[in-house]
Amino acid sequence: MPRVNLKKPNLGKLLKPYEEKWVALSPDRRRVVSSGDTLKEAESKINKKDIESVIFMKVPPSDTVSVHINTYA
């Protein structure tokens, strides 16, 4: 049986080199698949068959405050 890593990825460390850029993350959020100055540029670097499985986001500058809200049903 394959080993599963349940530890949450450290997105701060992973995304630090991509501040103020668009990135595409792998579905498990453990690696940056592509990046660019615009969403279109990041998108253009991805194989079209994989485009629906990645997560696109704009990385904020590290000096901004981030608020995370979890809701539980």
Side-chain angles (χ1 to χ4, degrees), residues 2-3 5 7-8 12-13 17 24 28 34 36-37 47 58 64:
R3 190 175 201 171
N5 185 353
K7 187 177 176 184
K8 289 184 179 181
K13 187 176 183 178
D28 65 0
S34 74
D37 290 328
N47 186 328
K58 175 116 186 221
T64 59

Side-chain angles (χ1 to χ4, degrees), residues 2 7-8 16 20-21 24 26 29-30 33 36 45-46 50 56 64 66 69 71:
K7 187 177 176 184
K8 289 184 179 181
K16 178 74 175 158
E20 300 190 51
K21 296 215 180 260
S26 61
R29 298 176 182 93
R30 296 195 182 281
V33 178
K45 297 176 183 177
I46 297 174
D50 297 328
F56 288 99
T64 59
S66 177
I69 300 172
T71 57

